[in-house]
Amino acid sequence: MDMKNVSNLKFLIALTLCATIVSCKRSSNSGNVDSATGWKINDKNGGFQYNTSFKEQETPPGTAFVEGGTFTMGKVQDDPMHDWNNTPNQQHVQSFYMDEHEVTNLNYLFYLDYIKNVYPPDDPNYALIYNGALPDTLVWRNRLGYNEMMTENYLRHPGYANYPVVGVSWIQAVEYASWRSDRVAEMSLQEAGYIKRDAQYTDLSAESTFSTDTYINAPTQTYGGNSEVLEGGKRRQQTDAEGNPINVYANRESGLIPVKYRLPTEAEWEYAALGMSELRSYNVYRGRKKYPWDGQYTRSGKRVNRGDQLANFKQGKGDYGGIAGWSDDGADITAEVKSYQPNDYGLYDMAGNVAEWVADVYRPIVDDEFNDFNYYRGNVYTKNALNEDGTVKIVTTDEIVYDTLSNGKIIARNLPGEIAKVPVDEKETYLRTQFDKSDNRNFRDGDKRSSRYYRESFDESDERTNSTGKMYNSPKHRVEVDSAEGKLVRQYDKSNNRTSLINDEVRVYKGGSWRDRAYWLDPAQRRYFPQDMATDYIGFRCAVSRVGSKSENGGKKRN
């Protein structure tokens, strides 16, 4: 090698070392430097603020982690009807969190107490809010059965505190999940120092409550604009060089606002109920697992508890628990939550005890040809309502909107302190390919794309037109409030041309209950019920989506 090449080699080595040193120097603080521009993030003098030290989502209170994946949805083993209700299809769900057990009477009573204090039922402005949240305790009554003890005691007596709440409609379950989201977010912001400690007790009134959406979009109007609460956190003590407060309000970028609670989708619920273990056995993957536990039977085969029932269900005609003291499942109606062993995800009572509401609108088939990722039927897209000056519109007491349900019950659609919502319009849908309207509940199943006889405009009062105008022509019961007398006017649809009970207001419920035979314990089984009605055998649990990595602790490392 001549001297010229040696000189060039030394130069390249020196250049490489220099680049390495510079690279190391830059990457030593890369968390607070934008890799695309080199500009600082979280500069003390201002600029873009972002939580660069965020590790991963904390497990929400009361939930267990369910790692997402692929599974065969449907495929009931015992299918004597041979219908298309459970046609097997392969789906993929993202990771999420789900309540370890059903929402209990105690959980729901805490919610009712909050509603009662914030919206006093003796105040005419709020009486309908509290009444609309109350479970229907009359679901226990039977024409030929004595169940008054449950009617009077099941919801409120301490003996049933940790039993699953029933008599709750799908609509009420959704409202509970929304309320729970706000309370968990409120606590998170208090602990992080953005809100004064115990803020919920400072001014517990209708228009001075905490709403997550309001805090994100119009933080100064949270708690009714109560500066004592909003400025009482330790974050207010941080100021810039000119004495101005820095990062007074938390935002999405802070990572401190929790993901909202909601009802699980049907695909999520079924996936979670199957209890897919880490082994991911062939039978589970191909949809041949019959129950949330291993095996093909409802009794335990383990030596220590051999013969014990693994769930609370109806074992036969007139047999809701077995012979007393022998072969008993420990319950005649519902059982206390966590009475039976959990599945591999740590979820209790995913079979038996009570069936559970899920988010989906019911249709006989799951349209996996259109979508096989996070499948869900029921999307109704909305946006924040705006004032004339472009600010978000906050609901006041005078602007509460009430809905009269088909059974005559009146519920509040929105609450004071929340942001008013309106359907999305052309501004959001123009030239989009993935959605073109606000209400997508009957997409590809009752609209132009799914029926050759569809008529875009028809008279619902015309029975002949209606029978061919929609794929599902269910009864059209109408309940209205007479504006003059303030009385309910009920109009029952007595048409003989109705062919279905399916419409956009019926929701799926999953899992067997204390009233059901073992056939319904299969996670793939699916039934439906009107969203505004309740029973003594349907409860619910909440779910929370996971953000970030698919698995906990940063995901799986692969070589």
Side-chain angles (χ1 to χ4, degrees), residues 91-92 265 267 360 365-368 371 373-377:
Q91 294 286 336
H92 189 100
T265 66
D360 295 59
I365 60 172
V366 172
D367 190 0
D368 62 315
N371 182 41
F373 180 77
N374 284 347
Y375 186 88
Y376 166 63
R377 177 180 289 279

Side-chain angles (χ1 to χ4, degrees), residues 486-541:
K487 296 181 180 180
L488 287 179
V489 179
R490 294 181 171 90
Q491 296 179 346
Y492 296 98
D493 187 344
K494 299 181 180 180
S495 169
N496 292 323
N497 294 328
R498 302 306 185 198
T499 60
S500 172
L501 294 176
I502 300 173
N503 55 44
D504 292 342
E505 279 73 46
V506 295
R507 301 284 173 166
V508 179
Y509 69 94
K510 302 279 283 183
S513 74
W514 65 275
R515 278 192 177 276
D516 294 314
R517 301 288 186 96
Y519 172 75
W520 296 104
L521 301 184
D522 189 322
Q525 288 287 8
R526 54 201 305 264
R527 291 173 281 179
Y528 64 92
F529 204 73
Q531 66 182 24
D532 55 5
M533 298 180 69
T535 75
D536 61 354
Y537 59 86
I538 300 180
F540 70 101
R541 71 179 77 206

Side-chain angles (χ1 to χ4, degrees), residues 203-238:
D203 183 13
L204 202 60
S205 61
E207 296 186 4
S208 300
T209 56
F210 176 88
S211 166
T212 306
D213 287 341
T214 301
Y215 184 85
I216 293 172
N217 293 278
T220 58
Q221 298 186 54
T222 314
Y223 294 107
N226 189 331
S227 59
E228 178 188 352
V229 174
L230 294 171
E231 299 175 10
K234 62 185 179 182
R235 296 290 174 181
R236 270 286 183 179
Q237 301 170 7
Q238 298 183 10

Side-chain angles (χ1 to χ4, degrees), residues 137-162:
T137 57
L138 301 184
V139 295
W140 289 105
R141 285 183 172 170
N142 186 295
R143 294 180 183 86
L144 295 178
Y146 178 73
N147 296 327
E148 289 305 289
M149 185 277 292
M150 276 88 79
T151 298
E152 296 171 358
N153 295 289
Y154 183 80
L155 174 63
R156 299 184 182 275
H157 197 284
Y160 290 116
N162 291 316

